[in-house]
Amino acid sequence: MKKTALLTLGIALILTACDNREKFTVEGSIEGAPDSMLYFENVGLKDFKTLDSVKLDETGNFCFKAPATEAPEFYVLRIADQIINLSIDSTETVSVKAQWPNMAARYEVEGSENCAKIRELALLQQELHRKTVALDDSRLFSRKEAQDSLSRLLDAYKEKVREEYIFQGPNMTYAYFALFQTLGPWLIFDPEANHGDLRVFAAVATSWDTFYPEAERTKNLHDIVIKSMKDQHIINARNEQRANGESIIVESGVIDLNLTDNKGRQRTLTELKGRVVLLDFHTFTLQDSPQRILMLRGLYNKYHEQGLEIYQVSLDPDEHFWRQMTLQLPWISVRDASGESAASYRVGQLPEYFLIDRSNTLYKRSSQMSDLEEEIKKLL
């Protein structure tokens, strides 16, 4: 009896602990859909997960609760193939009122600025799709005229979303949502194919790293940006070589740099294949430059013999000052007063650094590393 009582108490304590977790609420009503199954689903990076469901009655009322997450997450309300996109970033209560059929377009949402903006974006996307289909079906235009019109539609759409949504709040979930909108099977913002789109992804990635540095979505954004940077570099290199009539194309997993060091020698990143490289963007006029150089010296002295190399790019405008400051430094010190190398790596502030592994592949940037020394040790 005593053992059974203790077991029962233990279960009760567990259930109480679960019930005490902070939760968010999604509630509301869907008119005109009695006896329909309404699903509440989490939209993960890889798949959808059903969190709850309810069979609607004549009132159409529903109420879902779920544990709040540490970083913002995305969800949908779904009946059949009709969905309403939502995002939750706290223990908020979001209210949704919709009408069936076509509830994906006929709904209102209250209690969340992010959800309200996502609704606006969803409706804009639906209108873009409608216009695209109309163009495709029209017999008033030639194929080329239709393609030109589609390009203008897409450019106008992207400019509106970029300026009024993404750049207005790159840390907001609606900005993240906008990045992954599609037209058919294609991303509207394609960071691998379009340099301007890559800049948009990078802006959101940088902002999310500030607000949600440990979030899986933040890390995924960084992976997308890094991969797209490499892919665009390879494409640009191919195009340049073709333009110059070159037939040999060397592909690398890193955006290569070719700069002159403080000894007058041309130094590239690709020549360092086989070593772990700390690519450091720096200027010696920074207030904490002496402390930073001391930190880098410690890492270099400790790990250079094991395969670490530092490739430090100075953006100092004064060449003489730079040469004086780097005279006694043991690592590769190059200078790029134009800042083009920093731009190619989307460096937004100084200092900034990246790690490159032994295969000469870009590994991580500073914002993805909580402990630089531990990351170096992993790669050595």
Side-chain angles (χ1 to χ4, degrees):
M1 290 290 293
K2 188 176 293 184
K3 187 178 292 186
T4 303
L6 288 173
L7 180 60
T8 303
L9 177 60
I11 294 173
L13 287 173
I14 292 172
L15 292 175
T16 301
C18 291
D19 290 341
N20 286 338
R21 288 181 300 175
E22 291 188 329
K23 296 182 178 182
F24 65 87
T25 302
V26 176
E27 62 183 16
S29 61
I30 298 179
E31 181 183 332
D35 299 324
S36 296
M37 288 299 298
L38 174 66
Y39 296 92
F40 181 53
E41 300 172 331
N42 172 227
V43 184
L45 285 173
K46 296 180 180 178
D47 54 21
F48 281 54
K49 179 181 178 182
T50 300
L51 301 181
D52 204 348
S53 62
V54 65
K55 187 174 183 179
L56 298 175
D57 59 19
E58 290 293 334
T59 67
N61 293 336
F62 64 89
C63 181
F64 298 123
K65 292 181 181 291
T69 54
E70 293 184 4
E73 262 302 335
F74 293 85
Y75 305 88
V76 297
L77 293 170
R78 180 177 65 84
I79 297 179
D81 61 350
Q82 287 286 301
I83 65 171
I84 293 172
N85 288 286
L86 304 169
S87 73
I88 305 293
D89 63 3
S90 68
T91 55
E92 59 199 331
T93 295
V94 177
S95 299
V96 178
K97 291 186 177 180
Q99 293 178 304
W100 181 265
N102 197 24
M103 74 173 190
R106 303 169 67 194
Y107 78 95
E108 300 294 333
V109 61
E110 295 180 352
S112 167
E113 178 190 2
N114 277 305
C115 291
K117 294 287 188 181
I118 285 174
R119 173 185 175 275
E120 293 174 12
L121 286 164
L123 295 179
L124 286 171
Q125 182 185 16
Q126 292 169 31
E127 178 64 11
L128 175 65
H129 181 264
R130 187 192 65 78
K131 290 179 178 178
T132 301
V133 171
L135 266 177
D136 196 50
D137 291 342
S138 176
R139 298 187 179 184
L140 300 176
F141 304 101
S142 67
R143 175 55 58 183
K144 184 179 184 307
E145 289 172 334
Q147 289 176 341
D148 290 343
S149 296
L150 176 58
S151 294
R152 288 193 293 270
L153 272 177
L154 278 173
D155 288 344
Y157 182 89
K158 289 168 67 172
E159 181 179 3
K160 180 179 180 65
V161 171
R162 182 177 59 243
E163 300 301 325
E164 297 181 16
Y165 292 89
I166 297 175
F167 287 163
Q168 288 293 322
N171 63 303
M172 305 295 279
T173 54
Y174 61 77
Y176 183 103
F177 176 85
L179 292 181
F180 296 97
Q181 286 190 297
T182 59
L183 185 61
W186 298 284
L187 280 172
I188 294 173
F189 290 95
D190 186 351
E192 293 188 6
N194 185 289
H195 182 79
D197 293 352
L198 175 56
R199 186 169 66 92
V200 173
F201 266 77
V204 177
T206 301
S207 187
W208 272 59
D209 185 69
T210 300
F211 288 88
Y212 316 107
E214 300 303 318
E216 187 179 2
R217 292 184 184 276
T218 302
K219 296 172 183 177
N220 183 59
L221 278 177
H222 277 294
D223 289 344
I224 291 171
V225 171
I226 292 294
K227 181 180 183 300
S228 299
M229 286 166 60
K230 292 189 291 187
D231 290 346
Q232 285 198 16
H233 174 71
I234 290 170
I235 291 170
N236 292 339
R238 282 174 172 167
N239 291 339
E240 183 177 348
Q241 287 171 323
R242 285 172 182 152
N244 294 333
E246 299 176 19
S247 58
I248 299 175
I249 300 173
V250 178
E251 295 189 3
S252 171
V254 71
I255 302 171
D256 201 12
L257 301 179
N258 187 352
L259 297 168
T260 306
D261 69 11
N262 53 357
K263 299 177 180 63
R265 176 185 169 190
Q266 292 298 116
R267 304 304 299 266
T268 66
L269 287 173
T270 48
E271 75 184 61
L272 301 173
K273 187 173 183 178
R275 303 184 70 83
V276 173
V277 180
L278 173 58
L279 171 61
D280 186 67
F281 290 91
H282 186 74
T283 176
F284 289 91
T285 57
L286 291 172
Q287 185 175 0
D288 61 350
S289 176
Q291 298 95 312
R292 179 169 179 74
I293 295 302
L294 282 174
M295 182 272 291
L296 292 178
R297 271 189 179 275
L299 291 173
Y300 187 88
N301 292 340
K302 191 172 182 180
Y303 297 109
H304 178 65
E305 293 299 321
Q306 298 179 40
L308 175 68
E309 185 57 80
I310 297 176
Y311 187 104
Q312 187 171 52
V313 182
S314 167
L315 304 181
D316 289 285
D318 189 328
E319 182 177 0
H320 177 72
F321 171 72
W322 164 70
R323 288 188 180 279
Q324 291 299 312
M325 297 303 295
T326 60
L327 193 61
Q328 301 301 322
L329 296 183
W331 53 75
I332 299 171
S333 297
V334 298
R335 175 174 166 270
D336 180 16
S338 71
E340 290 182 7
S341 60
S344 69
Y345 275 85
R346 303 296 184 269
V347 173
Q349 60 184 12
L350 294 175
E352 176 63 291
Y353 58 89
F354 301 77
L355 275 182
I356 299 166
D357 67 20
R358 290 184 186 273
S359 69
N360 217 218
T361 298
L362 204 57
Y363 173 63
K364 287 183 179 180
R365 68 186 299 152
S366 63
S367 56
Q368 296 174 285
M369 295 181 277
S370 58
D371 190 324
L372 173 58
E373 185 170 359
E374 285 301 314
E375 297 289 350
I376 290 172
K377 286 161 65 176
K378 288 179 187 176
L379 295 180
L380 287 173

